[in-house]
Amino acid sequence: MGKQQTPKVKIIPLGGLYEIGKNITVIEYKNDIIVVDCGIIFPEDEMLGIDVVIPDITYLERNKDKIRAIVLTHGHEDHIGALPYVLQKVSTPVYGTKLTLGLVENKLNEKGIKNANLNIVKAGQKTKLGSMVVEYIRVNHSIPDAVALAIHTPEGAIVHTGDFKIDYTPINGKMMDLNRFADLGSRGVLALLADSTNVERTGSTMSEKTVGNTFNDIFMDAEGRIIVATFASNVHRIQQIVNAAVMFDRKIVVSGRSMINVVKVSTELGYLDIPEGTIIDINDMNKYPDNKITIITTGSQGEPMAALSRLAFSDHRKMELIPGDLVIISATPIPGNEKTVARVINQLFKKGANVIYEALADVHVSGHACKEELKLIHSLIKPKYFIPVHGEYRHLKQHAQLAEDLGLDRDNIFILENGSVLEVCRSDAKLNGNVPSGHILVDGLGVGDVGNIVLRDRKHLSEDGLIVVVVTIKKEDGKVVSGPDLVSRGFVYVRESEDLMVEAKNVVRNVLLDCEKNQITDWSTLKSRVRDSLRNYLYQKIKRNPMILPIIMEI
Amino acid sequence: MGKQQTPKVKIIPLGGLYEIGKNITVIEYKNDIIVVDCGIIFPEDEMLGIDVVIPDITYLERNKDKIRAIVLTHGHEDHIGALPYVLQKVSTPVYGTKLTLGLVENKLNEKGIKNANLNIVKAGQKTKLGSMVVEYIRVNHSIPDAVALAIHTPEGAIVHTGDFKIDYTPINGKMMDLNRFADLGSRGVLALLADSTNVERTGSTMSEKTVGNTFNDIFMDAEGRIIVATFASNVHRIQQIVNAAVMFDRKIVVSGRSMINVVKVSTELGYLDIPEGTIIDINDMNKYPDNKITIITTGSQGEPMAALSRLAFSDHRKMELIPGDLVIISATPIPGNEKTVARVINQLFKKGANVIYEALADVHVSGHACKEELKLIHSLIKPKYFIPVHGEYRHLKQHAQLAEDLGLDRDNIFILENGSVLEVCRSDAKLNGNVPSGHILVDGLGVGDVGNIVLRDRKHLSEDGLIVVVVTIKKEDGKVVSGPDLVSRGFVYVRESEDLMVEAKNVVRNVLLDCEKNQITDWSTLKSRVRDSLRNYLYQKIKRNPMILPIIMEI
């Protein structure tokens, strides 16, 4: 290379690496930035009290002027969920397919965000954004209208698969556009970013249609009501439930806020085909015999506030489970939800329902490509450089290995981290530093005001509770005039541990007397002595370590 | 039946139903009680800060004089873990096989419990306990020396399978004694209690030997150190690791307290066969080339304090992970542990190790019987009555269905709850009330002093933190002389939310002024006004709901 640096394309993932969720990637060329997706991730167990987690977009805020658009691959939360937060900081057009933007609009409305610049595109179409052109390519996934992106830069095409699977018999007949992938591959692709979620699974993901066959078999034999729980966004799944219901002459009740919402949006936009008169109001359900009813509901993840849980625990305002009900849980527990789902299943059985779930029948298929599908995509696209995305480290690592096994040079494969800057051009690719990245915690209306210290305190409080020690002292001489009073929460059941609390108070009293005797009036010394003595006493006595909060009042 | 009631056998599960763990069952005839197993269960997610959960044994305490023995089926925690607690309340002989009691002894020593009356028995042997005779029958399981029990009562034999699988090619050559089960079945069995853990799985559980074959394949190709993590109690698994290491001329380092412990106990008792000189001290590891080293370690569940996690996160005192290490996780995540295990796997990959786990190879098999094995046992034993045990409700339900499908009358199948009293005799079986049962939470040295109120507070604190409001008032006139002071923990990062906290203080100050003006001096009214106003203010301001703890000091 000469002295004059060739302008390079920068690929900067701000989220979605070392994690499954929070997908957001920057593609940058000279003065143009395109942002691919803008998702949330659900909090880890140790993020106590946190509602959702969004990406750190400091880099976007610093480069506001360069941003040409946010381009969305599909309408799942981990790809669109952070938009309401990001659009408040960065004003830019948003591009996505009809269903994707239908869901986005809904989300923005809920957060009271108006005047967003939303632009509907279709698979096959292209959008010029500054020096780059974005092309939308149809893929199959567990939500309709999903696309991969080919971002044509002056240095070559960058293909980002988004989330995808290959479904040769999709419900809407619209198969992934393998031909276009092949065409791009034949012409030469600079870099591929591809979904790694299912790289550990051998073979290929089953077609959505297999689930429909299972539904038909189950519906044929069912003698009572059928209740099907699934992800609200899985419109094809909902279509198949509708088809089975129609085939067996059942009416449909839709239950759960997000389910009602998605059924409405996707029917309006033409993604769901429901014969007129099929959907009935929940209040009219009793007008039909049980074997003429199907209920489609949220709650397939065992979420305690969702309709299925409410049904199971007799907490639903408008419905009650009756013995003979058949419940189909048409979903897999997302890692971390196994126990809540199991709890709901147990409870449904206890209530006399029969329950069919993934362990027992083929009532769910994944939306992500398994090993053989990934091999096909790599082989069609033949990228010069490969960056595995959408995965924990082990997925990225194994996806990198898969690419290497297919013949790609190890030096042309990059396992990036969030914030890594990869510079690519026709002749070369290399890492060049990092930009800020990370997670921002959202708790209630607070965005980013809960950090590690707060979480550490919440964890401590959650495990051992706390004891507040209050004492009022006289300003002049430091003499105790009131207290010490001890108040505990989450520590022991006080009425059964009176002796312990009386003794604990004595420990504090002795420390205070001792300090008085030794004329220690410095507050921080006083506090730390109280804390240490009480902590030692309690640990020795019952091997617990509550948070101790000494408060000194002065008069 | 005549007026004189026939004496009946009572079957009373005190734990192990509607749950997997905490197994303990009472078999009672006239004045004799035999207790089968005595296990713990690990706390549910919402039991914040709890270490272990033990069964409520009020019924045993009330019937101390009747108890003839505690009889153990095998040495897993969910079958022996509560012994240290129970033996402190109820003094009775304990019967179990050699390895089981070896592990029990260890456990009792750790808790400082001496003089327990431990009696070693062998499979095939019988023990007369009052009016009943207990017979021990060999089964296969994921720990050696496991037995089922046939409890011969005057009304007939009750067979309790304990945990089991059928392994036709067990590591130690000692197959489950199917012939004895068949023999008992031919003579007539009054009631069967059988393990329901794997009833959802079709087919049969693979033999432990298949894992050994996988180990051999992996060891053959490995070029660096091999680190295998598994359950310490899975002695057969450990034997197979040892065999593979010996075959490929590797030395063995044992790591992790419980692993060292089990290897010691089982070698002493003859359950592990390790050629002399094979095990080396961890400090001598560097004297050998990497390809001559195998490390057997704890931590297969991703436990943060176990050796494998420490290795992954560079926190092990005596070892460091090196690129090229091959880690085998020879276990399945127990439900609830999926995410911690995934985290360790990711971290191991990041450190440059290669990791083989269940998703990628056959490095684990279950210890519990699948559907076809259960069918065999039911068919051999042909019980008059059947009680599914060891399972959540869905497992019990499906196991009941399996028995019915095999031809047992539905009326002869009983899905009990913990505490249910089932009375059985030759001619009849029926439920007859309940005895106390439930879970007792152990936190540190406290047994049962953490209940629902404490847990509710811990949950509240964990999600939203707390604000302590302290104010000192004058006894005579209720005038505020110091405060209000606000102290928060786990709520917001105070330095970034100063305005909020200042404003919150003003809210409290105004409430106090208002109360003073209206001459409200009643403490509880004062406190609840402070709490309500502050809660409303904060919720409206940032949609959070911290615990608010008003404390009034009087001088």
Side-chain angles (χ1 to χ4, degrees):
Chain A
M1 281 187 286
K3 276 177 193 165
Q4 182 76 26
Q5 281 268 312
T6 325
K8 290 179 177 167
V9 181
K10 290 183 189 169
I11 300 175
I12 312 173
L14 292 178
L17 300 190
Y18 290 36
E19 63 190 350
I20 293 190
K22 194 155 84 46
N23 296 295
I24 177 168
T25 309
V26 169
I27 309 291
E28 182 172 346
Y29 183 79
K30 286 186 178 168
N31 276 316
D32 300 316
I33 281 179
I34 295 171
V35 181
V36 177
D37 288 332
C38 190
I40 56 157
I41 189 168
F42 290 102
E44 296 286 311
D45 288 348
E46 69 272 17
M47 296 177 181
L48 295 166
I50 297 303
D51 300 324
V52 300
V53 180
I54 60 174
D56 181 335
I57 54 153
T58 306
Y59 184 74
L60 297 181
E61 292 180 77
R62 287 189 192 152
N63 292 281
K64 268 184 195 170
D65 297 343
K66 288 188 173 184
I67 304 174
R68 302 292 155 249
I70 297 175
V71 182
L72 304 172
T73 59
H74 63 282
H76 278 153
E77 284 296 320
D78 53 338
H79 292 257
I80 66 168
L83 269 178
Y85 304 96
V86 171
L87 287 181
Q88 282 173 330
K89 305 262 184 183
V90 169
S91 171
T92 185
V94 178
Y95 291 82
T97 58
K98 197 163 64 169
L99 182 63
T100 304
L101 292 189
L103 295 168
V104 164
E105 207 169 358
N106 223 313
K107 179 173 293 296
L108 296 177
N109 284 341
E110 277 177 6
K111 299 270 176 186
I113 296 167
K114 293 177 179 38
N115 307 323
N117 179 352
L118 304 182
N119 304 276
I120 295 179
V121 294
K122 275 188 184 169
Q125 203 173 314
K126 292 178 186 175
T127 310
K128 184 155 173 49
L129 295 167
S131 53
M132 296 178 271
V133 172
V134 175
E135 175 185 356
Y136 311 91
I137 309 168
R138 185 191 301 135
V139 296
N140 299 121
H141 188 41
S142 46
I143 187 168
D145 233 6
V147 290
L149 305 174
I151 300 169
H152 301 278
T153 77
E155 289 295 315
I158 295 171
V159 174
H160 192 309
T161 65
D163 287 356
F164 81 103
K165 69 188 274 189
I166 301 173
D167 194 335
Y168 295 101
T169 55
I171 302 311
N172 61 355
K174 294 180 177 171
M175 212 198 119
M176 177 163 176
D177 191 354
L178 288 178
N179 299 60
R180 183 57 188 152
F181 281 100
D183 193 33
L184 286 166
S186 305
R187 289 158 195 268
V189 166
L190 182 63
L192 169 68
L193 291 81
D195 180 7
S196 311
T197 313
N198 269 356
V199 68
E200 286 175 345
R201 302 201 196 163
T202 54
S204 299
T205 304
M206 305 273 278
S207 170
E208 178 65 30
K209 223 161 225 175
T210 57
V211 179
N213 296 336
T214 310
F215 284 159
N216 291 346
D217 292 348
I218 295 173
F219 273 63
M220 176 142 29
D221 295 335
E223 290 170 359
R225 299 192 304 185
I226 299 177
I227 300 166
V228 193
T230 192
F231 298 106
S233 61
N234 200 332
V235 178
H236 290 323
R237 188 69 48 84
I238 298 171
Q239 182 68 59
Q240 299 202 88
I241 303 167
V242 170
N243 295 350
V246 170
M247 185 185 300
F248 295 97
D249 200 23
R250 286 172 179 259
K251 297 293 180 190
I252 294 172
V253 171
V254 182
S255 163
R257 201 174 59 96
S258 62
M259 189 62 79
I260 291 169
N261 196 7
V262 167
V263 167
K264 183 169 165 289
V265 171
S266 4
T267 308
E268 281 169 10
L269 298 181
Y271 292 90
L272 255 184
D273 180 17
I274 308 182
E276 202 156 330
T278 305
I279 292 194
I280 60 167
D281 192 274
I282 195 164
N283 298 309
D284 293 338
M285 197 159 44
N286 294 333
K287 297 180 185 163
Y288 299 86
D290 290 344
N291 65 2
K292 292 295 164 207
I293 294 289
T294 301
I295 299 162
I296 304 179
T297 179
T298 53
S300 65
Q301 292 301 306
E303 308 92 320
M305 305 308 286
L308 188 66
S309 279
R310 290 183 180 278
L311 257 178
F313 292 93
S314 301
D315 187 29
H316 197 289
R317 281 184 308 126
K318 306 217 163 182
M319 270 193 281
E320 251 185 287
L321 209 66
I322 46 181
D325 278 349
L326 176 66
V327 180
I328 303 172
I329 299 184
S330 179
T332 302
I334 293 170
N337 291 349
E338 293 83 355
K339 287 182 113 176
T340 45
V341 173
R343 195 174 300 180
V344 170
I345 293 173
N346 285 323
Q347 185 63 23
L348 290 166
F349 270 123
K350 279 182 214 168
K351 280 279 163 63
N354 193 10
V355 191
I356 299 178
Y357 44 106
E358 215 201 5
L360 307 179
D362 293 334
V363 287
H364 181 66
V365 294
S366 170
H368 297 273
C370 294
K371 260 193 178 133
E372 294 307 307
E373 292 156 272
L374 292 173
K375 286 182 193 165
L376 174 57
I377 292 306
H378 280 262
S379 303
L380 290 179
I381 294 188
K382 301 183 204 3
K384 176 152 188 175
Y385 301 107
F386 171 57
I387 300 117
V389 296
H390 299 178
E392 298 174 13
Y393 187 76
R394 62 194 160 123
H395 303 113
L396 306 180
K397 181 83 186 164
Q398 285 167 56
H399 203 174
Q401 186 61 50
L402 180 142
E404 201 183 329
D405 292 346
L406 291 174
L408 193 60
D409 192 330
R410 183 182 288 206
D411 293 338
N412 287 11
I413 302 171
F414 293 87
I415 297 184
L416 303 183
E417 296 177 26
N418 292 333
S420 297
V421 179
L422 181 70
E423 294 187 340
V424 286
C425 63
R426 278 173 214 287
S427 56
D428 192 24
K430 64 164 189 287
L431 283 165
N432 188 6
N434 287 278
V435 305
S437 74
H439 55 234
I440 306 289
L441 309 183
V442 180
D443 181 5
L445 294 184
V447 178
D449 65 342
V450 170
N452 286 336
I453 296 173
V454 173
L455 288 181
R456 206 180 51 206
D457 282 348
R458 285 185 183 174
K459 184 165 165 57
H460 188 173
L461 289 165
S462 77
E463 289 176 351
D464 296 292
L466 94 158
I467 299 183
V468 184
V469 180
V470 196
V471 56
T472 307
I473 61 173
K474 234 188 184 143
K475 204 179 289 180
E476 302 92 67
D477 53 9
K479 279 234 162 78
V480 173
V481 291
S482 178
D485 278 7
L486 269 62
V487 180
S488 84
R489 285 292 185 278
F491 172 53
V492 291
Y493 188 49
V494 177
R495 233 183 286 172
E496 289 192 356
S497 310
E498 266 182 59
D499 295 352
L500 183 79
M501 292 306 284
V502 167
E503 191 53 41
K505 202 165 175 171
N506 283 335
V507 168
V508 176
R509 197 172 280 136
N510 289 336
V511 174
L512 294 172
L513 283 174
D514 197 54
C515 286
E516 206 176 307
K517 208 184 295 169
N518 295 300
Q519 299 190 320
I520 296 168
T521 54
D522 166 45
W523 280 22
S524 81
T525 313
L526 216 66
K527 282 183 180 179
S528 75
R529 293 225 178 158
V530 166
R531 205 182 282 120
D532 293 349
S533 316
L534 191 51
R535 183 195 296 129
N536 291 341
Y537 168 75
L538 292 172
Y539 190 76
Q540 169 248 316
K541 202 74 185 174
I542 62 165
K543 293 261 185 297
R544 282 184 216 165
N545 185 24
M547 180 183 283
I548 296 169
L549 211 57
I551 301 176
I552 299 175
M553 304 288 286
E554 214 177 39
I555 59 160
Chain B
M1 281 190 285
K3 277 177 192 168
Q4 182 74 26
Q5 282 267 314
T6 327
K8 291 182 174 165
V9 181
K10 291 183 188 167
I11 299 175
I12 313 172
L14 293 178
L17 299 191
Y18 290 35
E19 63 190 352
I20 294 191
K22 193 155 86 43
N23 297 293
I24 176 167
T25 309
V26 169
I27 308 291
E28 183 172 345
Y29 183 79
K30 287 185 176 169
N31 276 316
D32 300 315
I33 280 179
I34 295 171
V35 181
V36 177
D37 287 333
C38 190
I40 56 158
I41 190 168
F42 291 102
E44 295 287 310
D45 288 348
E46 68 272 16
M47 297 176 181
L48 295 165
I50 298 303
D51 299 325
V52 299
V53 180
I54 59 173
D56 181 334
I57 55 154
T58 306
Y59 185 73
L60 297 181
E61 292 180 76
R62 286 189 192 153
N63 292 281
K64 268 184 193 167
D65 297 343
K66 287 187 171 184
I67 303 174
R68 302 292 154 250
I70 297 175
V71 182
L72 304 173
T73 59
H74 63 283
H76 278 153
E77 285 297 319
D78 54 337
H79 293 257
I80 67 168
L83 269 178
Y85 304 96
V86 171
L87 288 180
Q88 282 173 332
K89 304 262 184 182
V90 168
S91 171
T92 185
V94 177
Y95 291 82
T97 58
K98 198 164 63 170
L99 181 64
T100 305
L101 292 188
L103 295 168
V104 164
E105 208 169 358
N106 223 313
K107 178 172 292 296
L108 296 177
N109 283 342
E110 277 177 6
K111 298 271 177 183
I113 295 167
K114 294 175 173 47
N115 307 321
N117 180 352
L118 305 182
N119 305 275
I120 294 179
V121 294
K122 276 188 182 168
Q125 203 174 314
K126 293 177 184 173
T127 311
K128 185 157 172 46
L129 295 167
S131 54
M132 295 178 272
V133 172
V134 175
E135 176 185 355
Y136 310 92
I137 308 168
R138 185 190 301 135
V139 296
N140 300 121
H141 188 39
S142 46
I143 187 170
D145 233 6
V147 290
L149 306 174
I151 299 170
H152 300 279
T153 78
E155 289 295 314
I158 295 171
V159 174
H160 192 309
T161 65
D163 287 355
F164 82 103
K165 69 188 271 189
I166 300 173
D167 193 335
Y168 295 101
T169 55
I171 302 310
N172 61 356
K174 293 181 177 172
M175 211 199 119
M176 177 162 176
D177 191 352
L178 288 177
N179 298 61
R180 183 56 187 152
F181 281 99
D183 193 32
L184 286 165
S186 305
R187 288 157 196 269
V189 166
L190 182 62
L192 169 67
L193 291 80
D195 179 7
S196 311
T197 312
N198 270 357
V199 70
E200 287 176 345
R201 302 200 195 165
T202 54
S204 300
T205 304
M206 305 273 279
S207 170
E208 178 64 30
K209 223 161 225 174
T210 57
V211 179
N213 295 337
T214 310
F215 283 160
N216 290 345
D217 292 348
I218 296 173
F219 274 61
M220 176 142 27
D221 295 335
E223 290 170 359
R225 299 193 304 186
I226 299 177
I227 301 167
V228 193
T230 191
F231 297 105
S233 62
N234 199 332
V235 177
H236 290 323
R237 188 70 48 85
I238 298 171
Q239 182 69 60
Q240 299 202 88
I241 303 167
V242 169
N243 294 349
V246 169
M247 186 186 298
F248 295 96
D249 200 23
R250 286 172 180 259
K251 298 293 180 189
I252 294 172
V253 171
V254 182
S255 163
R257 201 175 60 95
S258 64
M259 189 62 80
I260 291 170
N261 196 5
V262 167
V263 167
K264 184 168 166 287
V265 171
S266 8
T267 307
E268 281 168 10
L269 298 180
Y271 292 89
L272 255 185
D273 180 17
I274 307 182
E276 200 151 335
T278 306
I279 292 194
I280 60 167
D281 192 275
I282 195 165
N283 297 309
D284 293 337
M285 197 157 47
N286 294 334
K287 297 180 184 163
Y288 299 86
D290 290 344
N291 66 1
K292 292 295 164 206
I293 294 289
T294 301
I295 299 162
I296 304 179
T297 179
T298 53
S300 65
Q301 292 301 305
E303 308 92 319
M305 306 306 287
L308 188 66
S309 279
R310 289 183 181 279
L311 257 178
F313 291 93
S314 302
D315 186 30
H316 197 289
R317 281 184 307 126
K318 307 216 163 182
M319 269 193 281
E320 251 186 286
L321 209 66
I322 45 180
D325 279 350
L326 175 68
V327 180
I328 304 172
I329 299 184
S330 179
T332 300
I334 293 169
N337 291 349
E338 292 84 356
K339 287 182 114 177
T340 45
V341 173
R343 193 173 302 179
V344 170
I345 293 173
N346 285 323
Q347 186 61 24
L348 290 166
F349 271 122
K350 279 182 215 168
K351 281 280 163 62
N354 193 9
V355 192
I356 299 177
Y357 45 105
E358 217 199 6
L360 306 180
D362 293 333
V363 288
H364 181 67
V365 294
S366 168
H368 298 273
C370 292
K371 261 193 179 133
E372 294 307 307
E373 294 157 272
L374 293 173
K375 287 182 191 165
L376 173 59
I377 292 306
H378 280 262
S379 303
L380 289 178
I381 293 185
K382 302 184 207 356
K384 176 151 188 175
Y385 301 107
F386 171 57
I387 301 116
V389 295
H390 299 177
E392 297 174 14
Y393 187 78
R394 64 194 159 125
H395 303 112
L396 305 180
K397 182 82 185 168
Q398 286 169 55
H399 203 173
Q401 188 60 50
L402 181 143
E404 201 183 328
D405 291 346
L406 291 173
L408 193 59
D409 191 330
R410 183 183 286 206
D411 294 338
N412 287 12
I413 301 171
F414 293 88
I415 297 184
L416 304 182
E417 296 177 25
N418 292 333
S420 297
V421 179
L422 181 71
E423 295 187 339
V424 286
C425 63
R426 277 172 214 286
S427 56
D428 193 23
K430 65 165 190 287
L431 283 166
N432 189 6
N434 288 279
V435 305
S437 73
H439 54 234
I440 307 288
L441 309 183
V442 179
D443 181 5
L445 295 183
V447 178
D449 65 342
V450 170
N452 286 337
I453 297 173
V454 173
L455 288 182
R456 206 181 50 206
D457 283 348
R458 285 185 184 174
K459 183 165 167 56
H460 188 174
L461 289 166
S462 76
E463 290 177 352
D464 297 292
L466 94 158
I467 298 183
V468 184
V469 180
V470 196
V471 56
T472 307
I473 61 173
K474 233 188 186 145
K475 203 180 291 182
E476 302 92 66
D477 53 8
K479 280 236 162 75
V480 174
V481 290
S482 179
D485 278 9
L486 269 62
V487 180
S488 84
R489 285 292 185 278
F491 172 54
V492 290
Y493 188 48
V494 177
R495 236 184 284 172
E496 291 193 355
S497 309
E498 264 181 62
D499 294 350
L500 183 79
M501 294 305 283
V502 166
E503 192 50 43
K505 202 165 174 171
N506 282 336
V507 168
V508 175
R509 196 172 281 136
N510 289 337
V511 174
L512 293 172
L513 283 173
D514 196 55
C515 287
E516 207 176 305
K517 209 184 294 171
N518 295 301
Q519 298 190 322
I520 295 167
T521 55
D522 165 45
W523 280 23
S524 80
T525 312
L526 216 67
K527 283 183 180 179
S528 75
R529 295 228 177 154
V530 166
R531 205 182 281 121
D532 293 349
S533 316
L534 192 51
R535 184 196 296 129
N536 291 341
Y537 169 73
L538 291 172
Y539 190 76
Q540 169 248 317
K541 202 75 185 171
I542 60 166
K543 293 261 184 295
R544 283 184 215 167
N545 186 23
M547 181 183 283
I548 296 169
L549 212 57
I551 301 177
I552 299 174
M553 303 289 287
E554 213 179 38
I555 58 160

